[in-house]
Amino acid sequence: MALSSPASIGGGTSRAMTAGLTGKSFDVKSKMVEAALVLTLAASMLILLVLIVDLLATSWPLWTDRPGDFLTGSLNSANAQSAGVWQGIKGTLMLCLVVMVVAFPLGVACAVYLEEYSSGSRFAKWTRINVRNLAGVPSIVYGLLGLAIFVNAIGGFTGGRTVFAGGLTLAALVLPIVVITTSEALRAVPRPIREGAFGVGATQWEVVKDHVLPAAAPGILTGTVLSLARAAGEAAPILLVGAATGLLRTGNQSFVEQLTGPFTAMPVVIFSYARQPDDAFREATAAASVVLLALVLLMNALAIWLRNRYDRKW
Amino acid sequence: MTESGKPMNIVNENVVGSDSGLQTIASSERTEVDTDTPPFVFETIDLNVYYGDFRAVRDVNLTVAKNEITALIGPSGCGKSTVLRCFDRMNDLIETARVDGRVLYHGLDLYGPDVDAVEVRRRVGMVFQKPNPFPKSIFDNIAYGPRISGMAKKKADLAVIVERSLRKAALWDEVKDRLSSSALGMSGGQQQRLCIARAIAVDPDVLLMDEPCSSLDPIATTRIEELMKEIKDEYTIVIVTHNMQQAARVSDRTAFFSVEVNEQSDARTGILVEADATEKIFSTPADDRTERYVTGRFG
Ligand SMILES: Nc1ncnc2c1ncn2[C@@H]1O[C@H](COP(=O)(O)OP(=O)(O)OP(=O)(O)O)[C@@H](O)[C@H]1O
Ligand SMILES: [Mg+2]
């Protein structure tokens, strides 16, 4: 066989065989595509950067002047110099807690049923389409739903215009997102893992709880935390449900009393500060936006950390 | 086995589901064929499997005898995996799949109305074409089956089962020091033997193997073939293989499947051409198609 070494083919020298392999050639087209991609990326990063820099610059006097006071002070519609966002932070965290407790188990259960128990059925297909539609419903509509159901219809249970009712409204808002992200995480679990488990005599429930859910956990957790971040940023629905925009009195209530008492949240605080005619409130508005942004970014960071922490290979 | 490969059509409704079903079928068989004919573990009667509207296999009448190795051979797409997956109701997991006809397991219709598929899979283990260990530790991979079936609850009892299964699968010496490390860190051949160990850990009656050696090197292949011969006294084995030498080396009986192409509709349907003692299939098969296939002259 003449194929034993490249140099022997056709009697050519080894230099002839390797010619052109080492020289740098310039591929104009792919360089241009690459440059265009980098530009678009830079443009979108720039927008974010400008936003953050602007917010920080506007609120800078406040942060240097009275950072602790602003973070721990209470909502004040009259005096920009003494306004604080503590009630907004607390309200947002409590809303997130309600969303977490309600939407997470419900959404995961729905997704497990749709994907694992009835995946091929007409009912499941129909439901899946509708869940996608629900995820696209504008948040203000969820606000109306919350007002009609959680505030009025079952007001006796939720206490009316309360954190609880607001949390339930936001839970309804993110439920479709939790269902969709969980479904995707479940569907990404390779079929052979299921077959292996069924093959040793596992029941449907054992397959789900011992194999499918653990394998899908990183995806489910990430999706849930991201949907929490979405809930934390919503203003319209909780405004409709009745978050306080003005002065809010809170004393030393117990947790349950707070849950069923009047409330506010960070997006609503920003909204009410922004509406103030007094120019002194510009600083406070920007500072409150920084706080909300920090909260949301923190949640996203948590999601990324969870994904990396529990990422599985198969 | 000297029976002529003709389908057995004894269906005794009275014995189906009873404990004595095995004996009854075996003894009625005795009146027709040799007395030393082993009792059948599986028997398919006019088995048709559809994926949606597509018929994958047609009218398969196949028997699998106890403590024998039965090999299913044939060209790609002829329905070997499809038939194999009927034996442990794995096709239930495919939404579009529909099984028509009967699959008897020791005389009991596996697709009968009150047969529990989970129970079936506990007794009929399966090793898949691609190794599919759970993303868990080596120990947990094997202990999982015994744990859920209630064979053993205590860690010490499970450890005994794990060691026994790994020894049977010729894997113990390689992994005994790293039982708690992830099964995904093993080589492909080790993973496949782990899957075999996992299947035999629940002490099944039958072992179904779908091309278990297709991703293995010759050494691991030899190990698995030796393993099959060793354990066939305890288990009944059905193996799908593309490797003609392997079928000839390990199996007692061989079933040859082929694809039948419909002239008009161009539909490709799998059929069972013949099933017989392995020596006979490889020396003097009854059907031309079998001879062409096993000697490598087809088309
Ligand atoms: N899940 C499925 N959905 C639809 N069609 C399928 C499915 N699984 C198998 N088939 C079809 O059924 C026929 C038989 O497939 P099967 O996998 O049983 O063949 P096989 O003999 O095992 O082939 P191979 O040797 O390549 O593994 C093929 O035509 C295949 O395309
Ligand atoms: Mg196959």
PDB file of all heavy atoms in Angstrom, chain A residues 42-71:
ATOM      1  N   ALA A  42     -22.769  44.415  22.257  1.00  0.00           N
ATOM      2  CA  ALA A  42     -22.314  45.623  22.942  1.00  0.00           C
ATOM      3  C   ALA A  42     -23.459  46.617  23.069  1.00  0.00           C
ATOM      4  O   ALA A  42     -23.633  47.246  24.116  1.00  0.00           O
ATOM      5  CB  ALA A  42     -21.150  46.252  22.181  1.00  0.00           C
ATOM      6  N   ALA A  43     -24.261  46.737  22.021  1.00  0.00           N
ATOM      7  CA  ALA A  43     -25.374  47.690  22.058  1.00  0.00           C
ATOM      8  C   ALA A  43     -26.330  47.354  23.190  1.00  0.00           C
ATOM      9  O   ALA A  43     -26.747  48.228  23.959  1.00  0.00           O
ATOM     10  CB  ALA A  43     -26.101  47.679  20.715  1.00  0.00           C
ATOM     11  N   SER A  44     -26.689  46.063  23.317  1.00  0.00           N
ATOM     12  CA  SER A  44     -27.659  45.727  24.357  1.00  0.00           C
ATOM     13  C   SER A  44     -27.041  45.867  25.749  1.00  0.00           C
ATOM     14  O   SER A  44     -27.725  46.270  26.696  1.00  0.00           O
ATOM     15  CB  SER A  44     -28.227  44.321  24.133  1.00  0.00           C
ATOM     16  OG  SER A  44     -27.237  43.448  23.714  1.00  0.00           O
ATOM     17  N   MET A  45     -25.757  45.540  25.857  1.00  0.00           N
ATOM     18  CA  MET A  45     -25.108  45.733  27.152  1.00  0.00           C
ATOM     19  C   MET A  45     -25.056  47.219  27.503  1.00  0.00           C
ATOM     20  O   MET A  45     -25.205  47.597  28.654  1.00  0.00           O
ATOM     21  CB  MET A  45     -23.677  45.169  27.146  1.00  0.00           C
ATOM     22  CG  MET A  45     -23.580  43.663  26.968  1.00  0.00           C
ATOM     23  SD  MET A  45     -24.679  42.749  28.043  1.00  0.00           S
ATOM     24  CE  MET A  45     -23.809  42.899  29.588  1.00  0.00           C
ATOM     25  N   LEU A  46     -24.856  48.033  26.465  1.00  0.00           N
ATOM     26  CA  LEU A  46     -24.738  49.470  26.674  1.00  0.00           C
ATOM     27  C   LEU A  46     -26.027  50.043  27.265  1.00  0.00           C
ATOM     28  O   LEU A  46     -25.996  50.855  28.191  1.00  0.00           O
ATOM     29  CB  LEU A  46     -24.411  50.157  25.341  1.00  0.00           C
ATOM     30  CG  LEU A  46     -23.865  51.567  25.477  1.00  0.00           C
ATOM     31  CD1 LEU A  46     -22.473  51.543  26.075  1.00  0.00           C
ATOM     32  CD2 LEU A  46     -23.845  52.273  24.126  1.00  0.00           C
ATOM     33  N   ILE A  47     -27.148  49.582  26.736  1.00  0.00           N
ATOM     34  CA  ILE A  47     -28.438  50.069  27.239  1.00  0.00           C
ATOM     35  C   ILE A  47     -28.561  49.793  28.736  1.00  0.00           C
ATOM     36  O   ILE A  47     -28.910  50.656  29.531  1.00  0.00           O
ATOM     37  CB  ILE A  47     -29.598  49.403  26.466  1.00  0.00           C
ATOM     38  CG1 ILE A  47     -29.562  49.858  25.007  1.00  0.00           C
ATOM     39  CG2 ILE A  47     -30.936  49.745  27.103  1.00  0.00           C
ATOM     40  CD1 ILE A  47     -30.533  49.120  24.124  1.00  0.00           C
ATOM     41  N   LEU A  48     -28.230  48.570  29.099  1.00  0.00           N
ATOM     42  CA  LEU A  48     -28.305  48.182  30.501  1.00  0.00           C
ATOM     43  C   LEU A  48     -27.361  49.040  31.340  1.00  0.00           C
ATOM     44  O   LEU A  48     -27.712  49.515  32.423  1.00  0.00           O
ATOM     45  CB  LEU A  48     -27.940  46.699  30.626  1.00  0.00           C
ATOM     46  CG  LEU A  48     -28.205  46.054  31.984  1.00  0.00           C
ATOM     47  CD1 LEU A  48     -29.697  46.005  32.249  1.00  0.00           C
ATOM     48  CD2 LEU A  48     -27.617  44.657  32.032  1.00  0.00           C
ATOM     49  N   LEU A  49     -26.146  49.233  30.786  1.00  0.00           N
ATOM     50  CA  LEU A  49     -25.128  49.992  31.506  1.00  0.00           C
ATOM     51  C   LEU A  49     -25.584  51.429  31.732  1.00  0.00           C
ATOM     52  O   LEU A  49     -25.482  51.965  32.842  1.00  0.00           O
ATOM     53  CB  LEU A  49     -23.821  49.970  30.704  1.00  0.00           C
ATOM     54  CG  LEU A  49     -22.560  50.224  31.519  1.00  0.00           C
ATOM     55  CD1 LEU A  49     -22.287  49.037  32.425  1.00  0.00           C
ATOM     56  CD2 LEU A  49     -21.382  50.489  30.598  1.00  0.00           C
ATOM     57  N   VAL A  50     -26.106  52.046  30.657  1.00  0.00           N
ATOM     58  CA  VAL A  50     -26.581  53.440  30.762  1.00  0.00           C
ATOM     59  C   VAL A  50     -27.660  53.545  31.833  1.00  0.00           C
ATOM     60  O   VAL A  50     -27.657  54.452  32.666  1.00  0.00           O
ATOM     61  CB  VAL A  50     -27.118  53.922  29.393  1.00  0.00           C
ATOM     62  CG1 VAL A  50     -27.907  55.212  29.558  1.00  0.00           C
ATOM     63  CG2 VAL A  50     -25.964  54.109  28.426  1.00  0.00           C
ATOM     64  N   LEU A  51     -28.575  52.587  31.809  1.00  0.00           N
ATOM     65  CA  LEU A  51     -29.665  52.581  32.781  1.00  0.00           C
ATOM     66  C   LEU A  51     -29.122  52.563  34.200  1.00  0.00           C
ATOM     67  O   LEU A  51     -29.503  53.377  35.054  1.00  0.00           O
ATOM     68  CB  LEU A  51     -30.551  51.357  32.530  1.00  0.00           C
ATOM     69  CG  LEU A  51     -31.733  51.184  33.476  1.00  0.00           C
ATOM     70  CD1 LEU A  51     -32.837  52.128  33.073  1.00  0.00           C
ATOM     71  CD2 LEU A  51     -32.225  49.748  33.460  1.00  0.00           C
ATOM     72  N   ILE A  52     -28.191  51.630  34.446  1.00  0.00           N
ATOM     73  CA  ILE A  52     -27.675  51.482  35.806  1.00  0.00           C
ATOM     74  C   ILE A  52     -26.873  52.718  36.218  1.00  0.00           C
ATOM     75  O   ILE A  52     -27.038  53.244  37.319  1.00  0.00           O
ATOM     76  CB  ILE A  52     -26.815  50.202  35.907  1.00  0.00           C
ATOM     77  CG1 ILE A  52     -27.725  48.976  35.760  1.00  0.00           C
ATOM     78  CG2 ILE A  52     -26.077  50.148  37.234  1.00  0.00           C
ATOM     79  CD1 ILE A  52     -27.001  47.668  35.765  1.00  0.00           C
ATOM     80  N   VAL A  53     -26.019  53.188  35.297  1.00  0.00           N
ATOM     81  CA  VAL A  53     -25.200  54.360  35.619  1.00  0.00           C
ATOM     82  C   VAL A  53     -26.087  55.560  35.911  1.00  0.00           C
ATOM     83  O   VAL A  53     -25.874  56.297  36.884  1.00  0.00           O
ATOM     84  CB  VAL A  53     -24.215  54.668  34.463  1.00  0.00           C
ATOM     85  CG1 VAL A  53     -23.593  56.052  34.648  1.00  0.00           C
ATOM     86  CG2 VAL A  53     -23.145  53.597  34.399  1.00  0.00           C
ATOM     87  N   ASP A  54     -27.123  55.744  35.084  1.00  0.00           N
ATOM     88  CA  ASP A  54     -28.022  56.875  35.280  1.00  0.00           C
ATOM     89  C   ASP A  54     -28.710  56.797  36.637  1.00  0.00           C
ATOM     90  O   ASP A  54     -28.772  57.778  37.384  1.00  0.00           O
ATOM     91  CB  ASP A  54     -29.059  56.896  34.150  1.00  0.00           C
ATOM     92  CG  ASP A  54     -30.043  58.037  34.341  1.00  0.00           C
ATOM     93  OD1 ASP A  54     -29.580  59.181  34.466  1.00  0.00           O
ATOM     94  OD2 ASP A  54     -31.256  57.767  34.383  1.00  0.00           O
ATOM     95  N   LEU A  55     -29.228  55.591  36.966  1.00  0.00           N
ATOM     96  CA  LEU A  55     -29.916  55.429  38.249  1.00  0.00           C
ATOM     97  C   LEU A  55     -28.963  55.719  39.399  1.00  0.00           C
ATOM     98  O   LEU A  55     -29.311  56.418  40.355  1.00  0.00           O
ATOM     99  CB  LEU A  55     -30.476  54.006  38.367  1.00  0.00           C
ATOM    100  CG  LEU A  55     -31.728  53.690  37.551  1.00  0.00           C
ATOM    101  CD1 LEU A  55     -32.108  52.237  37.727  1.00  0.00           C
ATOM    102  CD2 LEU A  55     -32.876  54.595  37.981  1.00  0.00           C
ATOM    103  N   LEU A  56     -27.748  55.180  39.295  1.00  0.00           N
ATOM    104  CA  LEU A  56     -26.784  55.368  40.378  1.00  0.00           C
ATOM    105  C   LEU A  56     -26.410  56.842  40.510  1.00  0.00           C
ATOM    106  O   LEU A  56     -26.340  57.374  41.622  1.00  0.00           O
ATOM    107  CB  LEU A  56     -25.530  54.522  40.123  1.00  0.00           C
ATOM    108  CG  LEU A  56     -25.670  53.038  40.479  1.00  0.00           C
ATOM    109  CD1 LEU A  56     -24.421  52.272  40.080  1.00  0.00           C
ATOM    110  CD2 LEU A  56     -25.938  52.874  41.969  1.00  0.00           C
ATOM    111  N   ALA A  57     -26.203  57.497  39.367  1.00  0.00           N
ATOM    112  CA  ALA A  57     -25.789  58.905  39.404  1.00  0.00           C
ATOM    113  C   ALA A  57     -26.886  59.769  40.016  1.00  0.00           C
ATOM    114  O   ALA A  57     -26.628  60.619  40.877  1.00  0.00           O
ATOM    115  CB  ALA A  57     -25.457  59.380  37.995  1.00  0.00           C
ATOM    116  N   THR A  58     -28.138  59.529  39.580  1.00  0.00           N
ATOM    117  CA  THR A  58     -29.250  60.333  40.096  1.00  0.00           C
ATOM    118  C   THR A  58     -29.418  60.148  41.598  1.00  0.00           C
ATOM    119  O   THR A  58     -29.731  61.081  42.329  1.00  0.00           O
ATOM    120  CB  THR A  58     -30.558  59.946  39.382  1.00  0.00           C
ATOM    121  OG1 THR A  58     -30.317  59.890  37.974  1.00  0.00           O
ATOM    122  CG2 THR A  58     -31.659  60.946  39.665  1.00  0.00           C
ATOM    123  N   SER A  59     -29.230  58.894  42.031  1.00  0.00           N
ATOM    124  CA  SER A  59     -29.507  58.620  43.435  1.00  0.00           C
ATOM    125  C   SER A  59     -28.268  58.803  44.308  1.00  0.00           C
ATOM    126  O   SER A  59     -28.331  58.604  45.518  1.00  0.00           O
ATOM    127  CB  SER A  59     -30.044  57.195  43.588  1.00  0.00           C
ATOM    128  OG  SER A  59     -29.084  56.268  43.138  1.00  0.00           O
ATOM    129  N   TRP A  60     -27.134  59.166  43.664  1.00  0.00           N
ATOM    130  CA  TRP A  60     -25.877  59.203  44.420  1.00  0.00           C
ATOM    131  C   TRP A  60     -25.933  60.100  45.661  1.00  0.00           C
ATOM    132  O   TRP A  60     -25.515  59.658  46.755  1.00  0.00           O
ATOM    133  CB  TRP A  60     -24.721  59.625  43.506  1.00  0.00           C
ATOM    134  CG  TRP A  60     -23.410  59.307  44.144  1.00  0.00           C
ATOM    135  CD1 TRP A  60     -22.507  60.181  44.637  1.00  0.00           C
ATOM    136  CD2 TRP A  60     -22.901  57.999  44.411  1.00  0.00           C
ATOM    137  NE1 TRP A  60     -21.456  59.524  45.193  1.00  0.00           N
ATOM    138  CE2 TRP A  60     -21.674  58.166  45.072  1.00  0.00           C
ATOM    139  CE3 TRP A  60     -23.386  56.704  44.167  1.00  0.00           C
ATOM    140  CZ2 TRP A  60     -20.899  57.103  45.475  1.00  0.00           C
ATOM    141  CZ3 TRP A  60     -22.613  55.635  44.579  1.00  0.00           C
ATOM    142  CH2 TRP A  60     -21.391  55.835  45.213  1.00  0.00           C
ATOM    143  N   PRO A  61     -26.478  61.328  45.549  1.00  0.00           N
ATOM    144  CA  PRO A  61     -26.531  62.183  46.741  1.00  0.00           C
ATOM    145  C   PRO A  61     -27.225  61.493  47.904  1.00  0.00           C
ATOM    146  O   PRO A  61     -26.779  61.581  49.046  1.00  0.00           O
ATOM    147  CB  PRO A  61     -27.349  63.392  46.261  1.00  0.00           C
ATOM    148  CG  PRO A  61     -27.230  63.382  44.780  1.00  0.00           C
ATOM    149  CD  PRO A  61     -27.036  61.980  44.357  1.00  0.00           C
ATOM    150  N   LEU A  62     -28.304  60.778  47.577  1.00  0.00           N
ATOM    151  CA  LEU A  62     -29.048  60.097  48.637  1.00  0.00           C
ATOM    152  C   LEU A  62     -28.210  59.000  49.291  1.00  0.00           C
ATOM    153  O   LEU A  62     -28.188  58.857  50.508  1.00  0.00           O
ATOM    154  CB  LEU A  62     -30.336  59.510  48.049  1.00  0.00           C
ATOM    155  CG  LEU A  62     -31.339  58.930  49.048  1.00  0.00           C
ATOM    156  CD1 LEU A  62     -32.746  59.189  48.555  1.00  0.00           C
ATOM    157  CD2 LEU A  62     -31.123  57.441  49.258  1.00  0.00           C
ATOM    158  N   TRP A  63     -27.507  58.224  48.448  1.00  0.00           N
ATOM    159  CA  TRP A  63     -26.709  57.120  48.998  1.00  0.00           C
ATOM    160  C   TRP A  63     -25.570  57.647  49.873  1.00  0.00           C
ATOM    161  O   TRP A  63     -25.194  57.008  50.842  1.00  0.00           O
ATOM    162  CB  TRP A  63     -26.139  56.236  47.889  1.00  0.00           C
ATOM    163  CG  TRP A  63     -27.173  55.436  47.170  1.00  0.00           C
ATOM    164  CD1 TRP A  63     -27.416  55.429  45.842  1.00  0.00           C
ATOM    165  CD2 TRP A  63     -28.104  54.526  47.744  1.00  0.00           C
ATOM    166  NE1 TRP A  63     -28.451  54.592  45.536  1.00  0.00           N
ATOM    167  CE2 TRP A  63     -28.896  54.017  46.696  1.00  0.00           C
ATOM    168  CE3 TRP A  63     -28.375  54.100  49.048  1.00  0.00           C
ATOM    169  CZ2 TRP A  63     -29.915  53.106  46.893  1.00  0.00           C
ATOM    170  CZ3 TRP A  63     -29.391  53.181  49.252  1.00  0.00           C
ATOM    171  CH2 TRP A  63     -30.151  52.704  48.188  1.00  0.00           C
ATOM    172  N   THR A  64     -24.989  58.796  49.500  1.00  0.00           N
ATOM    173  CA  THR A  64     -23.915  59.330  50.333  1.00  0.00           C
ATOM    174  C   THR A  64     -24.478  60.008  51.579  1.00  0.00           C
ATOM    175  O   THR A  64     -23.846  60.039  52.617  1.00  0.00           O
ATOM    176  CB  THR A  64     -23.077  60.363  49.546  1.00  0.00           C
ATOM    177  OG1 THR A  64     -23.975  61.309  48.961  1.00  0.00           O
ATOM    178  CG2 THR A  64     -22.251  59.699  48.462  1.00  0.00           C
ATOM    179  N   ASP A  65     -25.715  60.523  51.445  1.00  0.00           N
ATOM    180  CA  ASP A  65     -26.291  61.306  52.524  1.00  0.00           C
ATOM    181  C   ASP A  65     -26.887  60.451  53.639  1.00  0.00           C
ATOM    182  O   ASP A  65     -26.535  60.576  54.811  1.00  0.00           O
ATOM    183  CB  ASP A  65     -27.361  62.233  51.922  1.00  0.00           C
ATOM    184  CG  ASP A  65     -27.851  63.243  52.933  1.00  0.00           C
ATOM    185  OD1 ASP A  65     -27.058  63.563  53.836  1.00  0.00           O
ATOM    186  OD2 ASP A  65     -29.002  63.691  52.799  1.00  0.00           O
ATOM    187  N   ARG A  66     -27.824  59.540  53.269  1.00  0.00           N
ATOM    188  CA  ARG A  66     -28.534  58.795  54.324  1.00  0.00           C
ATOM    189  C   ARG A  66     -28.938  57.386  53.857  1.00  0.00           C
ATOM    190  O   ARG A  66     -30.124  57.053  53.792  1.00  0.00           O
ATOM    191  CB  ARG A  66     -29.782  59.573  54.747  1.00  0.00           C
ATOM    192  CG  ARG A  66     -30.693  59.968  53.590  1.00  0.00           C
ATOM    193  CD  ARG A  66     -31.926  60.705  54.064  1.00  0.00           C
ATOM    194  NE  ARG A  66     -32.897  60.805  52.971  1.00  0.00           N
ATOM    195  CZ  ARG A  66     -33.964  60.003  52.843  1.00  0.00           C
ATOM    196  NH1 ARG A  66     -34.209  59.086  53.728  1.00  0.00           N
ATOM    197  NH2 ARG A  66     -34.785  60.147  51.826  1.00  0.00           N
ATOM    198  N   PRO A  67     -27.922  56.557  53.519  1.00  0.00           N
ATOM    199  CA  PRO A  67     -28.257  55.219  52.987  1.00  0.00           C
ATOM    200  C   PRO A  67     -29.041  54.365  53.981  1.00  0.00           C
ATOM    201  O   PRO A  67     -30.050  53.769  53.629  1.00  0.00           O
ATOM    202  CB  PRO A  67     -26.891  54.608  52.681  1.00  0.00           C
ATOM    203  CG  PRO A  67     -25.916  55.371  53.504  1.00  0.00           C
ATOM    204  CD  PRO A  67     -26.468  56.756  53.639  1.00  0.00           C
ATOM    205  N   GLY A  68     -28.579  54.314  55.231  1.00  0.00           N
ATOM    206  CA  GLY A  68     -29.252  53.475  56.224  1.00  0.00           C
ATOM    207  C   GLY A  68     -30.654  53.969  56.482  1.00  0.00           C
ATOM    208  O   GLY A  68     -31.617  53.189  56.528  1.00  0.00           O
ATOM    209  N   ASP A  69     -30.789  55.236  56.576  1.00  0.00           N
ATOM    210  CA  ASP A  69     -32.076  55.859  56.835  1.00  0.00           C
ATOM    211  C   ASP A  69     -33.069  55.550  55.715  1.00  0.00           C
ATOM    212  O   ASP A  69     -34.239  55.235  55.945  1.00  0.00           O
ATOM    213  CB  ASP A  69     -31.839  57.374  56.953  1.00  0.00           C
ATOM    214  CG  ASP A  69     -33.122  58.103  57.268  1.00  0.00           C
ATOM    215  OD1 ASP A  69     -33.902  57.558  58.069  1.00  0.00           O
ATOM    216  OD2 ASP A  69     -33.349  59.184  56.689  1.00  0.00           O
ATOM    217  N   PHE A  70     -32.563  55.589  54.457  1.00  0.00           N
ATOM    218  CA  PHE A  70     -33.443  55.327  53.312  1.00  0.00           C
ATOM    219  C   PHE A  70     -33.914  53.876  53.291  1.00  0.00           C
ATOM    220  O   PHE A  70     -35.071  53.580  53.035  1.00  0.00           O
ATOM    221  CB  PHE A  70     -32.692  55.660  52.019  1.00  0.00           C
ATOM    222  CG  PHE A  70     -33.512  55.446  50.786  1.00  0.00           C
ATOM    223  CD1 PHE A  70     -34.553  56.310  50.457  1.00  0.00           C
ATOM    224  CD2 PHE A  70     -33.254  54.373  49.941  1.00  0.00           C
ATOM    225  CE1 PHE A  70     -35.312  56.104  49.322  1.00  0.00           C
ATOM    226  CE2 PHE A  70     -34.013  54.162  48.807  1.00  0.00           C
ATOM    227  CZ  PHE A  70     -35.047  55.032  48.492  1.00  0.00           C
ATOM    228  N   LEU A  71     -32.972  52.970  53.569  1.00  0.00           N
ATOM    229  CA  LEU A  71     -33.330  51.546  53.500  1.00  0.00           C
ATOM    230  C   LEU A  71     -34.271  51.140  54.625  1.00  0.00           C
ATOM    231  O   LEU A  71     -35.091  50.245  54.452  1.00  0.00           O
ATOM    232  CB  LEU A  71     -32.065  50.678  53.540  1.00  0.00           C
ATOM    233  CG  LEU A  71     -31.225  50.696  52.266  1.00  0.00           C
ATOM    234  CD1 LEU A  71     -29.963  49.883  52.455  1.00  0.00           C
ATOM    235  CD2 LEU A  71     -32.023  50.160  51.083  1.00  0.00           C
TER     236      LEU A  71
END
